[in-house]
């Protein structure tokens, strides 16, 4: 009798506990103002004192601040006293807006019940807005549309509301106009969160069931595990089990981010917080795992997440070979907090020792290589990005290929398949023609066009290989920055693909080989040969540069033999100085040049060729 009365009492406490919790994500296209609004909400709810407020407090990494983009999703817990007089707990998850990081978005969304959808009222609905809304709907989220940046003269809330109706199809009758900059409308957002978003379900009296939302390495706290408790409670000293691998751990610390980490006694059903266990390696925490109580285990884990898979690959090599170990250490450190990229050692006859790395997309690649250069002080060469091809061999075997140098002999290949994407591009209609032209030029096939006012929503199928080069930059540039792009991978299709090799003085140079569509091979071959002719210095003999497909030469340039001494030409004022400078330069050039047979190819030649690939 006592026990059931206790249970009843617990249930009652729980009901009121859950009723005052609201867990929500802020979703938006890049730059529409998520982090700024999150700052406002934190400030309003007193999460940080005035002097502690820096702009975009949730963007903690330097690169995030500098580039103004959110990479890792962040969480913060706030106390809010609503107009109904009750004190609420609000858990905000700030999410990254860029297409490369949509995996982080989906993770954050599964930890909450509602989303605030921000649309910049001077820009309108963008491709990522759509993608994020679909993800939120998949997670059964209640959505509050917020029209942001109303302080801007170009803001047109009525037009953008209509777009939200037309393009996304969600109800805008409860939408809120706001400015993260001036703070206008922020109170209305807080009230709407409390009124319109559902409180979490679950019960504190059930056995512990919690979701491992994210984990990262913090130099101060060690491995931090972000959890959403569905049922029961997590307390200090408790023994818990990771259901994916049955490992048991004792909880050393329980806390929440306010946004500063703050220890508390326990986190219970409906809440989001962090735990610290004895786990030392991030690889022992599996994002999406279910954590339960060792003394009162549950049978069925939560559904978890699909693991993220790298789709864009490239080689990263130190410019100076002696920095190989530094690069290796840097990659290992970055990997600690970014499980979505992969790397393995690669040896290239041209570039020396380096790593073949896999990324979620080009921005992910760019940011990772920038962090390596900046945080670890390593000068890097990045080879042409590529995708994973499926090679169907004549003997029936299938090979996954992500490095052109590993391509089997063409006579053994039956067919090659490449990944395709479904792309959504949203653009003001005056740029539609140019955007379509780019898509066609990248072997795209148009699936659909719809309009809302003067905005066109374009659906295309495209090979990922064509998109990884510079598709996004091109789309941005022809639309003066107004078009937006999002994609998902749909599957593999057979393609007329070939490996183009480059011979310098009849020696193959692996680092310059690439997999390319047959139709694009000839112009590309010519460009590469011309570039190499320009960038490889003359030797005292003639050097043929050839591009080949399956042993057949398709383009050729020749570097003429060189007879005269460079220095004899330098006369006149300051000649000695200039001579010394030139000699120094030659010395440096030599240090970075690689020997291919009798020919030395300077590093700049490799970089030059990689650049034409990116800009072709
Ligand atoms: P990501 O994290 O990269 O996805 O961007 P975000 O959506 O978090 O955008 P962020 O908050 O970083 O804001 C982008 C830019 O818009 C910044 O320069 C902000 O200062 C500016 N901004 C945000 N809100 C407002 C607003 O209400 N009015 C005006 N005028 N500018 C704003």
């Amino acid at each position: 009798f006592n026990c059931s009365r206790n249970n009843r009492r617990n249930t009652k406490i729980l009901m009121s506990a859950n009723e005052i919790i609201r867990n929500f994500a802020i979703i938006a296209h890049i730059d529409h103002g998520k982090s700024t609004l999150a700052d406002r909400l934190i400030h309003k709810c007193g999460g940080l004192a005035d002097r502690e407020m820096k702009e975009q407090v949730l963007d903690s990494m330097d690169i995030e601040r500098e580039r103004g983009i959110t990479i890792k999703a962040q969480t913060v817990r706030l106390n809010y006293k609503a107009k109904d007089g009750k004190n609420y707990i609000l858990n905000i998850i700030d999410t990254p807006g860029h297409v490369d990081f949509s995996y982080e978005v989906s993770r954050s969304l599964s930890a909450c019940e509602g989303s605030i959808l921000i649309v910049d009222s001077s820009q309108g609905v963008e491709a990522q807005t759509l993608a994020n809304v679909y993800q939120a709907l998949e997670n059964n989220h209640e959505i509050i549309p917020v029209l942001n940046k109303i302080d801007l003269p170009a803001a047109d809330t009525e037009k953008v509301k209509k777009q939200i109706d037309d393009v996304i199809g969600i109800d805008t009758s409860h939408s809120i106009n706001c400015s993260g900059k001036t703070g206008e409308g922020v109170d209305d957002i807080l009230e709407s969160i409390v009124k319109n978003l559902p409180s979490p379900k679950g019960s504190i009296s059930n056995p512990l069931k919690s979701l491992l939302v994210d984990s990262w390495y913090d130099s101060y706290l060690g491995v931090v595990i972000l959890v959403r408790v569905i049922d029961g409670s997590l307390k200090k000293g408790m023994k818990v089990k990771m259901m994916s691998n049955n490992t048991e751990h004792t909880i050393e610390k329980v806390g929440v981010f306010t946004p500063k980490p703050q220890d508390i006694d326990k986190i219970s059903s409906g809440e989001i917080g962090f735990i610290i266990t004895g786990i030392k390696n991030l690889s022992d925490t599996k994002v999406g795992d279910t954590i339960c109580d060792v003394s009162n285990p549950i049978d069925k884990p939560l559904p978890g997440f699909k693991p993220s898979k790298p789709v864009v690959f490239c080689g990263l090599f130190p410019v100076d070979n002696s920095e190989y170990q530094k690069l290796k250490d840097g990659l290992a450190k970055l990997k600690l907090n970014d499980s979505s990229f992969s790397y393995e050692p690669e040896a290239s006859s041209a570039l020396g020792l380096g790593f073949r790395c896999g990324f979620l997309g080009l921005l992910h690649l760019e940011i990772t290589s920038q962090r390596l250069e900046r945080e670890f002080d390593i000068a890097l060469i990045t080879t042409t990005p590529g995708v994973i091809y499926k090679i169907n061999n004549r003997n029936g075997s299938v090979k996954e290929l992500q490095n052109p140098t590993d391509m089997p002999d063409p006579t053994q290949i039956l067919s090659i398949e490449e990944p395709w994407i479904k792309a959504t591009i949203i653009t003001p209609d005056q740029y539609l023609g140019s955007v379509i032209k780019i898509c066609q030029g990248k072997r795209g096939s148009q699936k659909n066009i719809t309009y809302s006012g003067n905005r066109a929503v374009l659906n295309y199928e495209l090979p990922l290989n064509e998109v990884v080069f510079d598709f996004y930059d091109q789309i941005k540039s022809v639309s003066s920055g107004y078009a937006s792009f999002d994609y998902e991978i749909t599957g593999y299709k057979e393609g007329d693909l070939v490996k183009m090799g480059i011979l310098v003085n009849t020696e193959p140079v692996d680092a310059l080989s690439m997999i390319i569509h047959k139709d694009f091979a000839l112009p590309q071959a010519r460009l590469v040969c011309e570039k190499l002719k320009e960038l490889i210095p003359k030797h005292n003999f003639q050097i043929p540069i050839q591009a080949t497909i399956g042993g057949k030469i398709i383009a050729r340039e020749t570097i003429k033999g060189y007879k005269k001494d460079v220095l004899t030409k330098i006369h006149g004022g300051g000649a000695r100085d200039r001579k010394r400078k030139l000699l120094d330069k030659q010395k440096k050039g030599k240090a970075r040049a690689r020997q291919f047979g009798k020919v030395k190819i300077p590093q700049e030649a490799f970089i030059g060729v990689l650049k034409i690939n990116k800009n072709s």
Side-chain angles (χ1 to χ4, degrees):
F1 174 75
N2 269 346
C3 175
S4 71
R5 199 171 62 186
N6 269 343
N7 268 347
R8 232 179 295 145
R9 201 168 56 211
N10 278 343
T11 315
K12 198 153 175 237
I13 293 167
L14 153 83
M15 295 253 320
S16 58
N18 271 11
E19 269 169 21
I20 59 153
I21 301 174
R22 299 291 182 273
N23 299 319
F24 61 95
I26 306 184
I27 53 175
H29 188 77
I30 188 160
D31 275 353
H32 281 204
K34 285 183 304 287
S35 308
T36 308
L37 181 68
D39 286 357
R40 280 279 166 193
L41 297 175
I42 294 170
H43 193 51
K44 274 265 173 204
C45 297
L48 287 173
D50 279 343
R51 66 179 164 76
E52 291 172 313
M53 282 303 294
K54 313 186 245 186
E55 249 180 66
Q56 281 121 39
V57 276
L58 296 187
D59 289 349
S60 54
M61 278 191 256
D62 273 355
I63 289 213
E64 291 190 359
R65 262 175 207 292
E66 209 168 283
R67 301 183 60 139
I69 53 173
T70 307
I71 301 164
K72 267 217 96 70
Q74 302 282 345
T75 314
V76 59
R77 169 175 167 141
L78 300 172
N79 296 316
Y80 172 62
K81 189 167 170 98
K83 287 192 180 140
D84 62 12
K86 283 193 221 155
N87 287 309
Y88 287 87
I89 294 173
L90 310 183
N91 287 306
I92 311 179
I93 299 201
D94 187 27
T95 54
H98 193 274
V99 36
D100 283 5
F101 303 106
S102 60
Y103 175 66
E104 297 257 345
V105 177
S106 71
R107 233 148 69 167
S108 317
L109 295 184
S110 60
C112 38
E113 287 77 31
S115 286
I116 296 187
L117 169 70
I118 299 186
V119 184
D120 182 334
S121 59
S122 68
Q123 303 276 330
V125 171
E126 302 282 7
Q128 198 66 33
T129 320
L130 263 182
N132 283 336
V133 169
Y134 292 148
Q135 278 182 320
L137 292 174
E138 263 170 40
N139 282 284
N140 294 321
H141 275 198
E142 203 59 56
I143 297 174
I144 304 175
V146 168
L147 300 154
N148 193 27
K149 305 199 187 180
I150 52 168
D151 58 290
L152 291 176
D156 187 342
T157 50
E158 286 315 304
K159 192 170 112 193
V160 174
K161 248 197 221 176
K162 189 165 178 314
Q163 268 175 20
I164 297 179
D165 276 336
D166 287 355
V167 180
I168 310 183
I170 56 174
D171 179 17
T172 50
S173 56
H174 296 297
S175 68
I176 298 165
N177 296 344
C178 111
S179 163
K181 193 166 184 181
T182 65
E184 195 181 340
V186 173
D187 286 330
D188 298 336
I189 296 177
L190 284 165
E191 281 301 308
S192 177
I193 289 166
V194 164
K195 261 196 231 129
N196 298 319
L197 298 187
S199 53
K201 294 193 181 77
S203 162
I204 198 168
S205 50
N206 286 344
L208 173 69
K209 186 200 270 178
S210 51
L211 174 70
L212 197 162
V213 181
D214 200 357
S215 61
W216 60 92
Y217 186 81
D218 180 289
S219 50
Y220 188 64
L221 295 167
V223 172
V224 181
I225 302 173
L226 184 73
V227 287
R228 159 69 201 268
V229 182
I230 310 293
D231 286 322
S233 299
L234 277 164
K235 296 185 199 91
K236 195 175 158 181
M238 197 169 168
K239 251 193 144 171
V240 292
K241 185 165 79 176
M242 301 284 179
M243 291 184 74
S244 67
N245 55 11
N246 282 325
T247 53
E248 296 182 2
H249 310 275
T250 304
I251 298 182
E252 294 168 2
K253 221 178 233 196
V254 178
V256 290
F257 295 102
T258 67
K260 289 172 288 188
Q262 187 185 324
D263 294 359
I264 54 173
D265 295 337
K266 62 172 183 180
I267 42 176
S268 302
S269 164
E271 292 186 293
I272 298 172
F274 69 87
I275 54 171
I276 310 281
T277 65
I279 294 179
K280 295 275 178 295
N281 280 325
L282 206 61
S283 50
D284 296 336
T285 60
K286 204 173 135 250
V287 168
D289 206 348
T290 306
I291 304 173
C292 73
D293 185 353
V294 170
S295 63
N296 194 3
I298 52 170
D299 305 328
K300 241 179 98 189
L302 294 156
F305 312 116
K306 271 188 261 154
S308 67
K309 240 181 106 190
V311 290
V312 176
F313 291 82
C314 74
L316 293 183
F317 294 87
V319 170
D320 181 349
N321 268 337
S322 66
E323 292 196 323
Y324 174 77
Q325 189 58 39
K326 216 160 131 192
L327 174 60
K328 191 174 169 189
D329 296 345
L331 285 166
K333 282 223 178 88
L334 288 188
K335 174 83 185 168
L336 274 182
N337 271 341
D338 184 356
S339 53
S340 53
F341 94 94
S342 64
Y343 66 98
E344 54 184 53
E346 182 182 17
S348 150
S349 50
L351 302 170
L353 288 179
F355 294 90
R356 187 84 190 158
C357 304
F359 302 93
L360 300 179
L362 274 188
L363 182 72
H364 189 207
L365 184 166
E366 211 181 308
I367 285 176
T368 310
S369 56
Q370 262 192 20
R371 289 186 64 189
L372 285 165
E373 299 209 272
R374 193 154 333 153
E375 293 170 30
F376 303 93
D377 193 27
I378 310 167
L380 283 177
I381 297 176
T382 314
T383 64
T384 319
V387 299
I388 300 186
Y389 297 95
K390 275 191 195 150
I391 312 278
N392 299 311
N393 289 313
R394 289 195 187 278
N395 66 7
S397 64
V398 181
K399 183 182 162 84
E400 284 203 346
L401 180 90
Q402 36 115 329
N403 192 340
T405 44
D406 300 332
M407 179 105 141
D409 187 87
T411 55
Q412 292 172 19
I413 299 173
L414 189 65
S415 64
I416 305 178
E417 293 175 46
E418 61 182 331
W420 277 66
I421 59 165
K422 190 179 133 203
T424 306
I425 301 157
I426 300 187
T427 176
D429 55 9
Q430 73 257 41
Y431 307 115
L432 187 61
S434 316
V435 169
I436 289 180
K437 206 165 147 208
I438 294 173
C439 293
Q440 296 297 121
K442 301 275 186 195
R443 298 192 276 137
S445 104
Q446 191 179 310
K447 292 293 149 196
N448 199 16
I449 304 188
T450 49
Y451 295 90
S452 165
N454 68 341
R455 278 172 104 70
V457 182
L458 194 59
N459 287 116
Y460 252 89
E461 280 180 1
L462 287 150
L464 179 62
N465 183 32
E466 302 296 338
V467 172
V468 294
F469 285 155
D470 60 346
F471 178 76
Y472 193 39
D473 292 343
Q474 283 189 20
I475 294 278
K476 277 275 171 206
S477 123
V478 298
S479 66
S480 309
Y482 285 114
S484 59
F485 162 67
D486 186 56
Y487 69 89
E488 59 180 313
I489 294 182
T490 46
Y492 274 76
K493 276 197 215 174
E494 198 176 314
D496 210 351
L497 300 157
V498 289
K499 174 182 165 183
M500 185 173 92
I502 299 290
L503 305 176
V504 174
N505 203 25
T506 69
E507 296 278 337
V509 183
D510 273 350
L512 295 173
S513 64
M514 67 188 76
I515 294 171
I516 189 165
H517 192 267
K518 222 174 186 167
D519 292 350
F520 299 164
L522 191 57
Q524 183 72 11
R526 288 193 184 128
L527 278 173
V528 172
C529 291
E530 281 165 19
K531 196 79 195 172
L532 287 173
K533 181 181 176 187
E534 192 187 305
L535 293 173
I536 297 178
K538 287 185 177 178
H539 286 52
N540 57 4
F541 51 89
Q542 181 168 301
I543 306 169
I545 298 172
Q546 296 157 312
T548 62
I549 291 177
K552 214 176 116 205
I553 292 162
I554 59 163
R556 173 185 169 127
E557 290 286 338
T558 307
I559 303 174
K560 291 222 172 71
Y562 138 109
K563 291 176 196 101
K564 284 181 204 134
D565 182 352
V566 236
L567 301 180
T568 54
K569 276 197 177 155
I570 299 173
H571 304 290
R576 188 186 291 178
D577 236 24
R578 280 190 282 144
K579 263 187 199 175
R580 194 179 39 77
K581 269 193 198 142
L582 189 61
L583 285 172
D584 276 357
K585 223 173 159 187
Q586 279 187 342
K587 236 202 234 148
K588 261 193 206 144
K590 263 185 205 150
R592 288 190 184 170
R594 309 265 166 204
Q595 191 83 36
F596 283 84
K598 289 193 311 190
V599 180
K600 280 203 170 95
I601 306 181
Q603 214 91 67
E604 299 83 73
F606 292 102
I607 298 168
V609 171
L610 298 177
K611 282 207 179 118
I612 33 174
N613 284 333
K614 280 179 192 157
N615 303 329
S616 59

